[in-house]
Amino acid sequence: MPQPMSDVPPANKYLRLAAEVSDALASGRPVVALESTLIAHGLPRPTNLTVAREMEARVRAEGAVPATIALLDGQIVIGMSDAELERLATTSEPVAKASRRGLAVALAQRSLAATTVSGTLACAALASIRVFATGGIGGVHRGAAQTFDISADLIELGHAPIVTVCAGIKAILDLPLTLEYLETQGIPVIGVQTDELPAFYCRGSGLRVPFRAETPADIAAIARAQWQSGLGGGLLVTCPIPAGDAMPDSVFADALAQAERDAAEARLSGPAITPYLLARIGALTDGTSIAANRALLLNNATWAARVAVALQTG
Ligand code: PSU
Ligand code: MN
């Protein structure tokens, strides 16, 4: 029998697990972590709240327990209630965008913070959650040779013993450089039923994905090999957006070019860049990119839940 992949985390006054999540972890049932930056900063209102709820429903439909993570009132909440999701999605308070570096500050100051991929991975690891679903990971920004803007996501993906399920690297980034960086960090990047690296809103990037898997069981077997061998660290699973929901490459490329010009004019830098580009592309494409973002998020939630189930049933 395979060992259960999850465990109950040690008690800690900064961690608050929903009862459903801690029960599932204690009895070795599948749990999927979900991030909150896409709710607070990645999607427009009211789609943000709808999608947050839909992602949880997708996870449940596959027989796993969702654990959406954010920082509220001085605690890391692992498994937000529906009222908490609604608060984060609709609040008029400022919401911090917490990568790993922002977590302790938000805890100490008891501020409301949404967690990025890196922030969510760090928190999910504290709770011994093994699978996480997001949209597109952060990566090496275009022009990073000058700006040094390389997402903290890439570092955390290498450390946290978690399978991250995404639709590839956000296509606003430098994809070849991000792939290089993922190799540097020792992160296996696995294409789901594809040899081509998915590109977020679009199915393909023209780049080869280093590894390929066909089924949730195949992915679970790779994760088990990495962890039970003692190698540790994270894995990145990339699912192409469903064909009917993908944006035509040229529509995306035109919108991105315009959004980049606008971002340069607005002199944005750091954490503000990604939310700005996503919102600008949404406006420039009349919401087509938002619909694509929703579709890929739901697909990733489904796949993540299947992987979580496969990890437990082996
Ligand atoms: N996926 C989405 N929408 C998002 C994000 C991912 O579909 O908004 C968020 C994630 O939280 C990711 C962040 O960590 O964008 C990347 O931000 P940055 O480039 O500043 O590291
Ligand atoms: Mn950045």
Side-chain angles (χ1 to χ4, degrees):
M1 277 293 285
Q3 295 298 305
M5 284 291 176
S6 300
D7 211 341
V8 195
N12 164 339
K13 72 170 183 177
Y14 293 106
L15 268 185
R16 171 155 71 76
L17 274 74
E20 188 189 15
V21 173
S22 58
D23 288 353
L25 291 170
S27 55
R29 280 180 290 121
V31 177
V32 174
L34 299 169
E35 62 140 307
S36 46
T37 290
L38 66 94
I39 305 172
H41 307 285
L43 289 169
R45 300 176 180 194
T47 308
N48 60 344
L49 180 56
T50 323
V51 171
R53 287 175 169 153
E54 288 177 315
M55 288 183 79
E56 293 202 343
R58 288 290 186 105
V59 170
R60 288 187 196 285
E62 299 297 323
V65 174
T68 305
I69 295 176
L71 275 57
L72 304 173
D73 310 318
Q75 286 189 305
I76 298 169
V77 177
I78 309 227
M80 298 169 75
S81 67
D82 192 68
E84 288 166 341
L85 279 184
E86 191 169 333
R87 173 178 167 199
L88 186 73
T90 63
T91 183
S92 50
E93 301 168 64
V95 183
K97 176 182 163 188
S99 63
R100 175 188 262 277
R101 73 165 183 192
L103 298 174
V105 174
L107 288 176
Q109 299 180 348
R110 307 177 73 82
S111 46
L112 185 58
T115 50
T116 66
V117 168
S118 77
T120 309
L121 282 169
C123 296
L126 294 177
S128 304
I129 295 174
R130 296 305 197 178
V131 183
F132 163 49
T134 183
I137 61 159
V140 180
H141 280 261
R142 298 169 181 218
Q146 272 72 45
T147 62
F148 267 45
D149 191 348
I150 299 173
S151 179
D153 293 356
L154 300 182
I155 307 299
E156 210 59 35
L157 283 163
H159 289 307
I162 291 176
V163 176
T164 295
V165 179
C166 68
I169 301 149
K170 272 202 277 287
I172 56 176
L173 301 165
D174 188 318
L175 303 191
L177 291 192
T178 304
L179 269 185
E180 290 294 342
Y181 208 94
L182 285 162
E183 183 183 9
T184 305
Q185 290 297 307
I187 301 157
V189 180
I190 301 165
V192 173
Q193 298 167 359
T194 181
D195 293 313
E196 191 177 352
L197 179 73
F200 196 52
Y201 301 134
C202 306
R203 278 178 69 83
S205 60
L207 299 167
R208 266 188 86 81
V209 73
F211 306 107
R212 172 181 176 133
E214 306 301 325
T215 66
D218 294 346
I219 296 163
I222 299 168
R224 234 183 255 120
Q226 187 164 315
W227 297 332
Q228 293 182 353
S229 65
L231 286 168
L235 304 92
L236 187 65
V237 169
T238 60
C239 302
I241 181 173
D245 300 302
M247 278 175 80
D249 291 1
S250 62
V251 172
F252 168 71
D254 290 350
L256 174 60
Q258 180 64 47
E260 281 181 324
R261 285 193 291 274
D262 297 344
E265 206 158 290
R267 295 189 182 283
L268 292 176
S269 64
I273 295 230
T274 295
Y276 177 87
L277 290 177
L278 296 182
R280 198 71 196 106
I281 292 166
L284 290 166
T285 61
D286 265 335
T288 307
S289 70
I290 308 298
N293 204 346
R294 169 178 172 270
L296 67 87
L297 284 163
L298 300 188
N299 186 53
N300 296 343
T302 294
W303 271 89
R306 290 177 182 162
V307 171
V309 169
L311 271 172
Q312 299 300 345
T313 53

